[in-house]
Amino acid sequence: MSTGFERDAREFTRGARAIVVLPDSGGAARDAEARVEESAGLALAIGLEVVAKTVLRVRQPKPATLIGSGQADELAITVRDLSADLAVFDASLTPVQQRNLETLLGCKVIDRTGLILEIFGERAATAEGRLQVELAHLDYQSGRLVRSWTHLERQRGGFGFLGGPGETQIEADRRLIRDRMARLKRELDQVGRTRLLHRERRQRAPWPVIALVGYTNAGKSTLFNRLTGSDVMAENLLFATLDPTLRQVRLPGIDKAIMSDTVGFVSDLPTQLVAAFKATLEEVISADLLLHVRDVAHPDTDAQAADVEKVLAELGVDEETPRFEAWNKLDLLDDERREAMMADAARRDDVIAISALTGEGVDALVDTVAERLTVGHRRYHVALDAGDGAAAAWLHAHGEVLDQWVDGDQISYEVRMAPGDFDRFNRRSD
């Protein structure tokens, strides 16, 4: 049940005027302007009104405030002149730095972790997603308690950063947080056991699992919808999809495959969220093929790809799991960049260039994915009675019939299929 505190916080969140600040120490793989634009996109994703964006050169981070005193004074003037309610720092702030900056700037301050948790808190649609976000949020807050509550029921799951201050009772709050986290972990363990049962049921029917992974806003959900005929939310918005979606998909030579659309990754994804969402992303860990969707129109596409691989490693994804890349958003490239990108993709056997929006290259992607999944398929000779239409239909549905001919009272088939499917066919005939 939503409390008045929750409603007030959401209203404040949606109407807040924010400045986005990137403390840049240099030496980063990403372009500073692209990074501050991403941070602004994260702020927009939570409904903030971004009134200013600034990159601050930080030669030596200050323990008390991260940025220099002169820079803090300039930011305070910007906050006052633009009537900003909130300063979003694209950095990891310590509790002391956050508290000092709020005092100096005269407005609320959140860091990158807090902002991402805020987005996840609003977007999580399923009960499991909400539990995971709340657990991640409590883990984050337990180490700082910059703004505490008298009672835990005033704490708002994933929305705990932009609301008003509560009464400070640090020790009581920490105990309440620990108790609540213990309950959440028990509930998530139960959800995980249920998910495991579902996965074991799918594994008994050996259908391959294809997991779409990629940086947030790379176009995974658009591609997922095109391949499966679904209507998963797909917008030009960071973290448009949080909760994983599984759908059946037909591929050449494969009766049925399971496609999973997962949450988009992002650089510096909070460790609390990686841990909390590990159960949700188990489909990625156990996938037969990872389809990495990349936004090749983005200036930091290579850095984004590296961030995705980093998160996959943190999740424990086996390096041996087959990977294939879909270089998406060809429709956004100019002629020169498009030609260069197509030539680069043509030289590689693990890449297909596509536009999930227009459908360009998607058929070739489907054929290539099917080929990757059927690498282990074998040719079998099957002889059936002429009247056994059900068995013949099964062969056509579960494999690729290469040839067939009449042999007396029987019809012979040359069929290519996975060994597991052939075993299922034989069990069906017993």
Side-chain angles (χ1 to χ4, degrees), residues 202 207-212 221 224-225 227-233 243-251 256-261 283:
R202 285 198 302 274
W207 299 321
V209 175
I210 307 162
L212 296 183
S221 295
F224 181 82
N225 289 342
L227 293 177
T228 65
S230 301
D231 57 355
V232 172
M233 180 183 178
D243 296 292
T245 305
L246 303 179
R247 292 288 186 274
Q248 296 179 9
V249 61
R250 293 293 296 270
L251 298 172
K256 186 186 299 182
I258 305 297
M259 183 162 285
S260 170
D261 183 26
E283 298 297 342

Side-chain angles (χ1 to χ4, degrees), residues 269-279 281 311 314-315:
L269 188 68
T271 55
Q272 294 93 344
L273 277 177
V274 173
F277 274 78
K278 189 167 185 176
L281 293 169
V311 175
E314 290 177 357
L315 290 170

Side-chain angles (χ1 to χ4, degrees), residues 112-349:
R112 184 178 179 85
T113 298
L115 182 60
I116 293 174
L117 287 172
E118 191 78 21
I119 296 171
F120 273 57
E122 182 174 276
R123 297 283 172 75
T126 65
E128 181 182 9
R130 289 191 290 270
L131 289 173
Q132 289 165 329
V133 171
E134 184 176 353
L135 179 60
H137 170 218
L138 289 171
D139 186 31
Y140 175 74
Q141 284 286 52
S142 64
R144 52 191 59 219
L145 290 177
V146 174
R147 221 173 272 117
S148 303
W149 326 273
T150 304
H151 300 291
L152 191 62
E153 51 266 27
R154 295 187 64 188
Q155 194 271 339
R156 301 174 300 111
F159 301 98
F161 304 100
L162 304 182
E167 299 177 21
T168 302
Q169 296 181 346
I170 292 179
E171 290 305 320
D173 285 340
R174 283 178 177 158
R175 175 173 49 80
L176 289 168
I177 287 176
R178 288 195 299 269
D179 292 345
R180 178 61 178 162
M181 288 178 68
R183 288 197 296 271
L184 289 173
K185 288 177 180 178
R186 288 195 295 270
E187 292 181 51
L188 283 170
D189 284 343
Q190 180 59 47
V191 173
R193 285 192 290 272
T194 302
R195 188 183 293 278
L196 178 61
L197 291 174
H198 292 167
R199 181 176 297 106
E200 289 176 345
R201 190 176 302 123
R202 285 198 302 274
Q203 289 174 342
R204 283 198 294 270
W207 299 321
V209 175
I210 307 162
L212 296 183
V213 298
Y215 207 79
T216 184
N217 208 29
K220 297 184 309 302
S221 295
T222 301
L223 179 61
F224 181 82
N225 289 342
R226 181 172 287 277
L227 293 177
T228 65
S230 301
D231 57 355
V232 172
M233 180 183 178
E235 295 185 9
N236 184 25
L237 189 69
L238 297 178
F239 294 121
T241 304
L242 286 190
D243 296 292
T245 305
L246 303 179
R247 292 288 186 274
Q248 296 179 9
V249 61
R250 293 293 296 270
L251 298 172
I254 300 175
D255 167 44
K256 186 186 299 182
I258 305 297
M259 183 162 285
S260 170
D261 183 26
T262 61
V263 60
F265 301 154
V266 70
S267 63
D268 300 327
L269 188 68
T271 55
Q272 294 93 344
L273 277 177
V274 173
F277 274 78
K278 189 167 185 176
T280 302
L281 293 169
E282 283 176 351
E283 298 297 342
V284 174
I285 298 173
S286 61
D288 297 283
L289 177 68
L290 296 181
L291 184 53
H292 182 178
V293 183
R294 291 179 53 181
D295 176 3
V296 292
H298 196 283
D300 280 337
T301 181
D302 291 335
Q304 289 181 350
D307 287 327
V308 170
E309 290 297 331
K310 179 182 177 182
V311 175
L312 289 175
E314 290 177 357
L315 290 170
V317 175
D318 191 339
E319 292 183 0
E320 300 301 317
T321 301
R323 287 164 166 78
F324 196 80
E325 292 188 1
W327 288 1
N328 190 28
K329 302 194 180 182
L330 285 179
D331 52 294
L332 298 182
L333 299 178
D334 58 38
D335 291 342
E336 183 178 353
R337 289 184 62 200
R338 174 190 171 87
E339 183 177 348
M341 195 66 64
M342 295 292 285
D344 193 12
R347 288 191 291 267
R348 296 178 53 173
D349 60 3

Side-chain angles (χ1 to χ4, degrees), residues 4 50 250 358 393:
V50 177
R250 293 293 296 270
T358 67

Side-chain angles (χ1 to χ4, degrees), residues 54-130:
T54 183
V55 178
L56 298 180
R57 178 67 174 169
V58 178
R59 292 184 177 83
Q60 185 67 37
K62 302 295 188 292
T65 56
L66 182 63
I67 60 177
S69 57
Q71 293 171 325
D73 291 340
E74 291 178 6
L75 282 181
I77 293 173
T78 301
V79 167
R80 185 179 67 248
D81 291 347
L82 297 178
S83 300
D85 307 298
L86 176 71
V88 177
F89 276 71
D90 189 345
S92 179
L93 297 176
T94 67
V96 171
Q97 289 170 340
Q98 182 179 359
R99 186 161 52 242
N100 290 341
L101 285 169
E102 287 185 335
T103 301
L104 292 171
L105 302 185
C107 68
K108 294 180 186 294
V109 172
I110 60 173
D111 62 4
R112 184 178 179 85
T113 298
L115 182 60
I116 293 174
L117 287 172
E118 191 78 21
I119 296 171
F120 273 57
E122 182 174 276
R123 297 283 172 75
T126 65
E128 181 182 9
R130 289 191 290 270

